[in-house]
Amino acid sequence: MEEKTEKRGFSSVRPRRLRGIRLLREMVAGTRLAARDFVWPVFVRLGQGIRTPIGSMPGVFQYSPEVAVEELRRAADEGIGAFLLFGITDADKKDATGSHAHDENNAVCTTLRAVKDAKLPLVAITDLCYCEYTSHGHCGRLRGDQSGVDNDETVAALGHQAALHARCGADVVAPSAAMDHMVAAIRAALDAGAYEDTAILSYAVKYASAFYGPFREAAESPPQFGDRKGYQMDFRRGEAEALREAALDVAEGADLVMVKPGVAYLDILRAVSEASPVPTAVYQVSGEYAMLKAAAAKGWIDERAVVEETMHAFKRAGAAFVVTYYARELARWVR
């Protein structure tokens, strides 16, 4: 006798049908990575032939301007479309006001001119802040009683710094000082200097984070007293404050906004990217990078797989692009 086969009570819906064939998975992938999705942070200091490794950030270096140009040339060949420039200041050039930030022959300005002279096909973005230039390591000028950063004095100085960078070749300026109304001051200074086409990428949503530790070694910019919690955002606050900060900067003239750090703030990134009328970026910061490098060195993770998974998370959450120290490795991997 023929045996009867009992029908199982399963639904006809089987999501795994779209997962069984690799090419089909590629066809229906919701997010994709390309080299142009990544911005490479670059640390420069005055000198010649400098290529100093950062101990806490394997694969990251401080470069002298001419070395930076050669590395940027290679990065462009690898498919990178943009870089973010940070200037390192020798101790003897630091002072209470960060005056070296306004020297047209400092490391940032010298590198910008060299990049433009080399006609590299890259968007030149410069960080605007004072922590790398001040003797006290804070992000702006201090009040007379040294009780904290003077917001209004600092935003006026940031406008000066922005116009200088634009004159030397910056396509985009990126204020990271976390001062109220810094975008308005920068936009006014750029427009007054006939740099109305220079864009502003504001670190609009920047938290006082423990993930920044290795950066302070790379930029030689730890605060000499106190901390930056008085002006950077409190990570215990919710989406409402982040949305308010981003909206204020857009209203003042920001062309792009950024959330920083990355992985621990995906909820914030999603909220800002959905609400903002301008593109939203995210910064995978030094501590995030250093942890992945350390785990990979121990053989505890598949580095490429984890990094690519993280980048997809940023893109899913709404990032138009990612500032990451992995930029060049990612450009090679995704190519």
Side-chain angles (χ1 to χ4, degrees), residues 204-233:
V205 183
K206 179 181 179 180
Y207 289 90
S209 173
F211 284 98
Y212 302 151
F215 175 91
R216 291 168 184 167
E217 177 190 354
E220 299 180 11
S221 62
Q224 298 302 302
F225 61 88
D227 54 40
R228 295 170 181 154
K229 294 179 180 179
Y231 41 99
Q232 295 177 358
M233 293 170 62

PDB file of all heavy atoms in Angstrom, residues 204-233:
ATOM      1  N   ALA A 204      28.310  67.934  14.319  1.00  0.00           N
ATOM      2  CA  ALA A 204      27.140  68.478  15.014  1.00  0.00           C
ATOM      3  C   ALA A 204      26.779  67.672  16.252  1.00  0.00           C
ATOM      4  O   ALA A 204      26.323  68.226  17.254  1.00  0.00           O
ATOM      5  CB  ALA A 204      25.948  68.514  14.050  1.00  0.00           C
ATOM      6  N   VAL A 205      26.959  66.358  16.168  1.00  0.00           N
ATOM      7  CA  VAL A 205      26.561  65.464  17.261  1.00  0.00           C
ATOM      8  C   VAL A 205      27.814  64.717  17.719  1.00  0.00           C
ATOM      9  O   VAL A 205      28.140  63.635  17.251  1.00  0.00           O
ATOM     10  CB  VAL A 205      25.464  64.491  16.801  1.00  0.00           C
ATOM     11  CG1 VAL A 205      24.998  63.616  17.953  1.00  0.00           C
ATOM     12  CG2 VAL A 205      24.285  65.261  16.200  1.00  0.00           C
ATOM     13  N   LYS A 206      28.554  65.361  18.619  1.00  0.00           N
ATOM     14  CA  LYS A 206      29.842  64.840  19.074  1.00  0.00           C
ATOM     15  C   LYS A 206      29.786  64.643  20.584  1.00  0.00           C
ATOM     16  O   LYS A 206      29.603  65.597  21.343  1.00  0.00           O
ATOM     17  CB  LYS A 206      30.964  65.814  18.708  1.00  0.00           C
ATOM     18  CG  LYS A 206      32.345  65.362  19.168  1.00  0.00           C
ATOM     19  CD  LYS A 206      33.409  66.380  18.790  1.00  0.00           C
ATOM     20  CE  LYS A 206      34.783  65.968  19.262  1.00  0.00           C
ATOM     21  NZ  LYS A 206      35.818  66.957  18.902  1.00  0.00           N
ATOM     22  N   TYR A 207      29.965  63.390  20.986  1.00  0.00           N
ATOM     23  CA  TYR A 207      29.827  63.041  22.402  1.00  0.00           C
ATOM     24  C   TYR A 207      31.178  63.069  23.125  1.00  0.00           C
ATOM     25  O   TYR A 207      32.229  62.821  22.523  1.00  0.00           O
ATOM     26  CB  TYR A 207      29.194  61.662  22.537  1.00  0.00           C
ATOM     27  CG  TYR A 207      27.733  61.670  22.149  1.00  0.00           C
ATOM     28  CD1 TYR A 207      27.338  61.435  20.835  1.00  0.00           C
ATOM     29  CD2 TYR A 207      26.753  61.968  23.088  1.00  0.00           C
ATOM     30  CE1 TYR A 207      25.999  61.482  20.467  1.00  0.00           C
ATOM     31  CE2 TYR A 207      25.409  62.013  22.731  1.00  0.00           C
ATOM     32  CZ  TYR A 207      25.038  61.771  21.419  1.00  0.00           C
ATOM     33  OH  TYR A 207      23.716  61.825  21.055  1.00  0.00           O
ATOM     34  N   ALA A 208      31.122  63.369  24.423  1.00  0.00           N
ATOM     35  CA  ALA A 208      32.304  63.273  25.284  1.00  0.00           C
ATOM     36  C   ALA A 208      32.524  61.780  25.550  1.00  0.00           C
ATOM     37  O   ALA A 208      31.928  61.204  26.456  1.00  0.00           O
ATOM     38  CB  ALA A 208      32.069  64.034  26.581  1.00  0.00           C
ATOM     39  N   SER A 209      33.370  61.182  24.750  1.00  0.00           N
ATOM     40  CA  SER A 209      33.464  59.724  24.693  1.00  0.00           C
ATOM     41  C   SER A 209      34.815  59.204  25.160  1.00  0.00           C
ATOM     42  O   SER A 209      35.853  59.821  24.903  1.00  0.00           O
ATOM     43  CB  SER A 209      33.216  59.264  23.249  1.00  0.00           C
ATOM     44  OG  SER A 209      33.460  57.886  23.099  1.00  0.00           O
ATOM     45  N   ALA A 210      34.781  58.034  25.780  1.00  0.00           N
ATOM     46  CA  ALA A 210      36.014  57.350  26.163  1.00  0.00           C
ATOM     47  C   ALA A 210      36.683  56.674  24.973  1.00  0.00           C
ATOM     48  O   ALA A 210      37.804  56.182  25.089  1.00  0.00           O
ATOM     49  CB  ALA A 210      35.716  56.305  27.241  1.00  0.00           C
ATOM     50  N   PHE A 211      36.008  56.663  23.825  1.00  0.00           N
ATOM     51  CA  PHE A 211      36.559  56.020  22.633  1.00  0.00           C
ATOM     52  C   PHE A 211      37.615  56.872  21.929  1.00  0.00           C
ATOM     53  O   PHE A 211      38.180  56.449  20.925  1.00  0.00           O
ATOM     54  CB  PHE A 211      35.439  55.702  21.639  1.00  0.00           C
ATOM     55  CG  PHE A 211      34.599  54.516  22.003  1.00  0.00           C
ATOM     56  CD1 PHE A 211      33.382  54.687  22.633  1.00  0.00           C
ATOM     57  CD2 PHE A 211      35.016  53.224  21.713  1.00  0.00           C
ATOM     58  CE1 PHE A 211      32.586  53.603  22.972  1.00  0.00           C
ATOM     59  CE2 PHE A 211      34.236  52.130  22.046  1.00  0.00           C
ATOM     60  CZ  PHE A 211      33.013  52.311  22.674  1.00  0.00           C
ATOM     61  N   TYR A 212      37.882  58.087  22.420  1.00  0.00           N
ATOM     62  CA  TYR A 212      38.821  58.978  21.742  1.00  0.00           C
ATOM     63  C   TYR A 212      40.272  58.801  22.191  1.00  0.00           C
ATOM     64  O   TYR A 212      41.160  59.486  21.680  1.00  0.00           O
ATOM     65  CB  TYR A 212      38.446  60.449  21.966  1.00  0.00           C
ATOM     66  CG  TYR A 212      37.071  60.849  21.510  1.00  0.00           C
ATOM     67  CD1 TYR A 212      36.392  61.886  22.149  1.00  0.00           C
ATOM     68  CD2 TYR A 212      36.445  60.224  20.437  1.00  0.00           C
ATOM     69  CE1 TYR A 212      35.129  62.285  21.745  1.00  0.00           C
ATOM     70  CE2 TYR A 212      35.180  60.604  20.027  1.00  0.00           C
ATOM     71  CZ  TYR A 212      34.523  61.637  20.682  1.00  0.00           C
ATOM     72  OH  TYR A 212      33.267  62.030  20.282  1.00  0.00           O
ATOM     73  N   GLY A 213      40.535  57.921  23.148  1.00  0.00           N
ATOM     74  CA  GLY A 213      41.859  57.840  23.751  1.00  0.00           C
ATOM     75  C   GLY A 213      43.023  57.775  22.780  1.00  0.00           C
ATOM     76  O   GLY A 213      43.959  58.593  22.856  1.00  0.00           O
ATOM     77  N   PRO A 214      43.049  56.824  21.836  1.00  0.00           N
ATOM     78  CA  PRO A 214      44.198  56.737  20.931  1.00  0.00           C
ATOM     79  C   PRO A 214      44.405  57.982  20.066  1.00  0.00           C
ATOM     80  O   PRO A 214      45.533  58.317  19.721  1.00  0.00           O
ATOM     81  CB  PRO A 214      43.861  55.512  20.067  1.00  0.00           C
ATOM     82  CG  PRO A 214      42.972  54.683  20.934  1.00  0.00           C
ATOM     83  CD  PRO A 214      42.144  55.676  21.694  1.00  0.00           C
ATOM     84  N   PHE A 215      43.320  58.674  19.725  1.00  0.00           N
ATOM     85  CA  PHE A 215      43.456  59.897  18.930  1.00  0.00           C
ATOM     86  C   PHE A 215      44.330  60.917  19.643  1.00  0.00           C
ATOM     87  O   PHE A 215      45.115  61.640  19.012  1.00  0.00           O
ATOM     88  CB  PHE A 215      42.081  60.507  18.650  1.00  0.00           C
ATOM     89  CG  PHE A 215      42.132  61.833  17.942  1.00  0.00           C
ATOM     90  CD1 PHE A 215      42.110  61.902  16.567  1.00  0.00           C
ATOM     91  CD2 PHE A 215      42.214  63.026  18.662  1.00  0.00           C
ATOM     92  CE1 PHE A 215      42.166  63.128  15.910  1.00  0.00           C
ATOM     93  CE2 PHE A 215      42.268  64.254  18.017  1.00  0.00           C
ATOM     94  CZ  PHE A 215      42.244  64.305  16.639  1.00  0.00           C
ATOM     95  N   ARG A 216      44.191  60.979  20.972  1.00  0.00           N
ATOM     96  CA  ARG A 216      44.952  61.992  21.708  1.00  0.00           C
ATOM     97  C   ARG A 216      46.445  61.712  21.652  1.00  0.00           C
ATOM     98  O   ARG A 216      47.255  62.632  21.748  1.00  0.00           O
ATOM     99  CB  ARG A 216      44.429  62.075  23.137  1.00  0.00           C
ATOM    100  CG  ARG A 216      43.032  62.679  23.163  1.00  0.00           C
ATOM    101  CD  ARG A 216      42.314  62.555  24.470  1.00  0.00           C
ATOM    102  NE  ARG A 216      40.955  63.079  24.343  1.00  0.00           N
ATOM    103  CZ  ARG A 216      39.996  62.912  25.218  1.00  0.00           C
ATOM    104  NH1 ARG A 216      40.245  62.237  26.333  1.00  0.00           N
ATOM    105  NH2 ARG A 216      38.791  63.411  25.015  1.00  0.00           N
ATOM    106  N   GLU A 217      46.808  60.444  21.486  1.00  0.00           N
ATOM    107  CA  GLU A 217      48.219  60.126  21.241  1.00  0.00           C
ATOM    108  C   GLU A 217      48.605  60.551  19.839  1.00  0.00           C
ATOM    109  O   GLU A 217      49.659  61.168  19.614  1.00  0.00           O
ATOM    110  CB  GLU A 217      48.473  58.618  21.410  1.00  0.00           C
ATOM    111  CG  GLU A 217      49.912  58.228  21.085  1.00  0.00           C
ATOM    112  CD  GLU A 217      50.132  56.723  21.007  1.00  0.00           C
ATOM    113  OE1 GLU A 217      49.197  55.959  21.324  1.00  0.00           O
ATOM    114  OE2 GLU A 217      51.245  56.323  20.610  1.00  0.00           O
ATOM    115  N   ALA A 218      47.748  60.238  18.866  1.00  0.00           N
ATOM    116  CA  ALA A 218      48.055  60.556  17.469  1.00  0.00           C
ATOM    117  C   ALA A 218      48.170  62.055  17.244  1.00  0.00           C
ATOM    118  O   ALA A 218      49.064  62.530  16.530  1.00  0.00           O
ATOM    119  CB  ALA A 218      46.983  59.968  16.556  1.00  0.00           C
ATOM    120  N   ALA A 219      47.266  62.826  17.853  1.00  0.00           N
ATOM    121  CA  ALA A 219      47.235  64.278  17.653  1.00  0.00           C
ATOM    122  C   ALA A 219      48.027  65.041  18.706  1.00  0.00           C
ATOM    123  O   ALA A 219      48.142  66.260  18.633  1.00  0.00           O
ATOM    124  CB  ALA A 219      45.792  64.767  17.648  1.00  0.00           C
ATOM    125  N   GLU A 220      48.562  64.323  19.692  1.00  0.00           N
ATOM    126  CA  GLU A 220      49.313  64.938  20.789  1.00  0.00           C
ATOM    127  C   GLU A 220      48.491  66.059  21.424  1.00  0.00           C
ATOM    128  O   GLU A 220      48.954  67.184  21.590  1.00  0.00           O
ATOM    129  CB  GLU A 220      50.659  65.445  20.282  1.00  0.00           C
ATOM    130  CG  GLU A 220      51.534  64.323  19.716  1.00  0.00           C
ATOM    131  CD  GLU A 220      52.887  64.798  19.197  1.00  0.00           C
ATOM    132  OE1 GLU A 220      53.244  65.962  19.449  1.00  0.00           O
ATOM    133  OE2 GLU A 220      53.584  63.999  18.543  1.00  0.00           O
ATOM    134  N   SER A 221      47.231  65.706  21.802  1.00  0.00           N
ATOM    135  CA  SER A 221      46.300  66.748  22.231  1.00  0.00           C
ATOM    136  C   SER A 221      45.490  66.420  23.485  1.00  0.00           C
ATOM    137  O   SER A 221      44.342  66.861  23.590  1.00  0.00           O
ATOM    138  CB  SER A 221      45.319  67.031  21.093  1.00  0.00           C
ATOM    139  OG  SER A 221      44.550  65.861  20.799  1.00  0.00           O
ATOM    140  N   PRO A 222      46.035  65.686  24.455  1.00  0.00           N
ATOM    141  CA  PRO A 222      45.229  65.439  25.658  1.00  0.00           C
ATOM    142  C   PRO A 222      45.067  66.722  26.462  1.00  0.00           C
ATOM    143  O   PRO A 222      45.990  67.543  26.549  1.00  0.00           O
ATOM    144  CB  PRO A 222      46.055  64.411  26.438  1.00  0.00           C
ATOM    145  CG  PRO A 222      47.469  64.678  26.008  1.00  0.00           C
ATOM    146  CD  PRO A 222      47.377  65.079  24.559  1.00  0.00           C
ATOM    147  N   PRO A 223      43.894  66.939  27.074  1.00  0.00           N
ATOM    148  CA  PRO A 223      43.740  68.132  27.931  1.00  0.00           C
ATOM    149  C   PRO A 223      44.675  68.047  29.136  1.00  0.00           C
ATOM    150  O   PRO A 223      44.828  66.984  29.735  1.00  0.00           O
ATOM    151  CB  PRO A 223      42.262  68.078  28.345  1.00  0.00           C
ATOM    152  CG  PRO A 223      41.831  66.675  28.127  1.00  0.00           C
ATOM    153  CD  PRO A 223      42.672  66.129  27.022  1.00  0.00           C
ATOM    154  N   GLN A 224      45.305  69.149  29.466  1.00  0.00           N
ATOM    155  CA  GLN A 224      46.264  69.169  30.568  1.00  0.00           C
ATOM    156  C   GLN A 224      45.589  69.279  31.934  1.00  0.00           C
ATOM    157  O   GLN A 224      46.231  69.079  32.957  1.00  0.00           O
ATOM    158  CB  GLN A 224      47.243  70.332  30.368  1.00  0.00           C
ATOM    159  CG  GLN A 224      48.060  70.209  29.091  1.00  0.00           C
ATOM    160  CD  GLN A 224      48.856  68.914  29.037  1.00  0.00           C
ATOM    161  OE1 GLN A 224      49.673  68.636  29.919  1.00  0.00           O
ATOM    162  NE2 GLN A 224      48.602  68.102  28.010  1.00  0.00           N
ATOM    163  N   PHE A 225      44.301  69.583  31.927  1.00  0.00           N
ATOM    164  CA  PHE A 225      43.532  69.598  33.171  1.00  0.00           C
ATOM    165  C   PHE A 225      42.068  69.405  32.793  1.00  0.00           C
ATOM    166  O   PHE A 225      41.633  69.724  31.685  1.00  0.00           O
ATOM    167  CB  PHE A 225      43.712  70.920  33.936  1.00  0.00           C
ATOM    168  CG  PHE A 225      43.255  72.133  33.165  1.00  0.00           C
ATOM    169  CD1 PHE A 225      41.940  72.565  33.232  1.00  0.00           C
ATOM    170  CD2 PHE A 225      44.153  72.828  32.354  1.00  0.00           C
ATOM    171  CE1 PHE A 225      41.523  73.676  32.519  1.00  0.00           C
ATOM    172  CE2 PHE A 225      43.735  73.937  31.631  1.00  0.00           C
ATOM    173  CZ  PHE A 225      42.412  74.363  31.723  1.00  0.00           C
ATOM    174  N   GLY A 226      41.303  68.855  33.712  1.00  0.00           N
ATOM    175  CA  GLY A 226      39.878  68.678  33.485  1.00  0.00           C
ATOM    176  C   GLY A 226      39.587  67.739  32.332  1.00  0.00           C
ATOM    177  O   GLY A 226      40.375  66.849  32.001  1.00  0.00           O
ATOM    178  N   ASP A 227      38.432  67.929  31.730  1.00  0.00           N
ATOM    179  CA  ASP A 227      38.021  67.120  30.588  1.00  0.00           C
ATOM    180  C   ASP A 227      37.176  67.993  29.661  1.00  0.00           C
ATOM    181  O   ASP A 227      37.101  69.209  29.847  1.00  0.00           O
ATOM    182  CB  ASP A 227      37.241  65.874  31.052  1.00  0.00           C
ATOM    183  CG  ASP A 227      36.059  66.222  31.942  1.00  0.00           C
ATOM    184  OD1 ASP A 227      35.361  67.231  31.653  1.00  0.00           O
ATOM    185  OD2 ASP A 227      35.823  65.509  32.934  1.00  0.00           O
ATOM    186  N   ARG A 228      36.563  67.364  28.658  1.00  0.00           N
ATOM    187  CA  ARG A 228      35.803  68.128  27.658  1.00  0.00           C
ATOM    188  C   ARG A 228      34.298  67.933  27.798  1.00  0.00           C
ATOM    189  O   ARG A 228      33.537  68.237  26.876  1.00  0.00           O
ATOM    190  CB  ARG A 228      36.279  67.724  26.258  1.00  0.00           C
ATOM    191  CG  ARG A 228      37.744  68.117  26.034  1.00  0.00           C
ATOM    192  CD  ARG A 228      38.329  67.538  24.776  1.00  0.00           C
ATOM    193  NE  ARG A 228      39.735  67.946  24.644  1.00  0.00           N
ATOM    194  CZ  ARG A 228      40.649  67.261  23.981  1.00  0.00           C
ATOM    195  NH1 ARG A 228      40.328  66.131  23.386  1.00  0.00           N
ATOM    196  NH2 ARG A 228      41.887  67.704  23.917  1.00  0.00           N
ATOM    197  N   LYS A 229      33.872  67.459  28.972  1.00  0.00           N
ATOM    198  CA  LYS A 229      32.453  67.199  29.176  1.00  0.00           C
ATOM    199  C   LYS A 229      31.636  68.473  29.280  1.00  0.00           C
ATOM    200  O   LYS A 229      30.408  68.438  29.155  1.00  0.00           O
ATOM    201  CB  LYS A 229      32.257  66.347  30.429  1.00  0.00           C
ATOM    202  CG  LYS A 229      32.835  64.945  30.289  1.00  0.00           C
ATOM    203  CD  LYS A 229      32.634  64.125  31.562  1.00  0.00           C
ATOM    204  CE  LYS A 229      33.227  62.729  31.387  1.00  0.00           C
ATOM    205  NZ  LYS A 229      33.070  61.903  32.620  1.00  0.00           N
ATOM    206  N   GLY A 230      32.294  69.600  29.496  1.00  0.00           N
ATOM    207  CA  GLY A 230      31.580  70.870  29.593  1.00  0.00           C
ATOM    208  C   GLY A 230      31.114  71.392  28.255  1.00  0.00           C
ATOM    209  O   GLY A 230      30.281  72.304  28.213  1.00  0.00           O
ATOM    210  N   TYR A 231      31.635  70.844  27.138  1.00  0.00           N
ATOM    211  CA  TYR A 231      31.196  71.328  25.834  1.00  0.00           C
ATOM    212  C   TYR A 231      30.838  70.207  24.861  1.00  0.00           C
ATOM    213  O   TYR A 231      30.000  70.396  23.985  1.00  0.00           O
ATOM    214  CB  TYR A 231      32.207  72.296  25.211  1.00  0.00           C
ATOM    215  CG  TYR A 231      33.671  71.953  25.345  1.00  0.00           C
ATOM    216  CD1 TYR A 231      34.360  71.347  24.306  1.00  0.00           C
ATOM    217  CD2 TYR A 231      34.394  72.283  26.489  1.00  0.00           C
ATOM    218  CE1 TYR A 231      35.720  71.068  24.410  1.00  0.00           C
ATOM    219  CE2 TYR A 231      35.753  72.011  26.606  1.00  0.00           C
ATOM    220  CZ  TYR A 231      36.413  71.390  25.561  1.00  0.00           C
ATOM    221  OH  TYR A 231      37.753  71.106  25.658  1.00  0.00           O
ATOM    222  N   GLN A 232      31.426  69.026  25.007  1.00  0.00           N
ATOM    223  CA  GLN A 232      30.979  67.897  24.192  1.00  0.00           C
ATOM    224  C   GLN A 232      29.729  67.278  24.825  1.00  0.00           C
ATOM    225  O   GLN A 232      29.475  67.426  26.015  1.00  0.00           O
ATOM    226  CB  GLN A 232      32.100  66.872  24.057  1.00  0.00           C
ATOM    227  CG  GLN A 232      33.291  67.410  23.281  1.00  0.00           C
ATOM    228  CD  GLN A 232      34.449  66.426  23.204  1.00  0.00           C
ATOM    229  OE1 GLN A 232      34.393  65.336  23.769  1.00  0.00           O
ATOM    230  NE2 GLN A 232      35.509  66.820  22.521  1.00  0.00           N
ATOM    231  N   MET A 233      28.952  66.546  24.034  1.00  0.00           N
ATOM    232  CA  MET A 233      27.638  66.082  24.475  1.00  0.00           C
ATOM    233  C   MET A 233      27.725  64.930  25.470  1.00  0.00           C
ATOM    234  O   MET A 233      28.670  64.136  25.441  1.00  0.00           O
ATOM    235  CB  MET A 233      26.809  65.673  23.255  1.00  0.00           C
ATOM    236  CG  MET A 233      26.452  66.837  22.347  1.00  0.00           C
ATOM    237  SD  MET A 233      25.729  66.317  20.776  1.00  0.00           S
ATOM    238  CE  MET A 233      24.250  65.481  21.343  1.00  0.00           C
TER     239      MET A 233
END
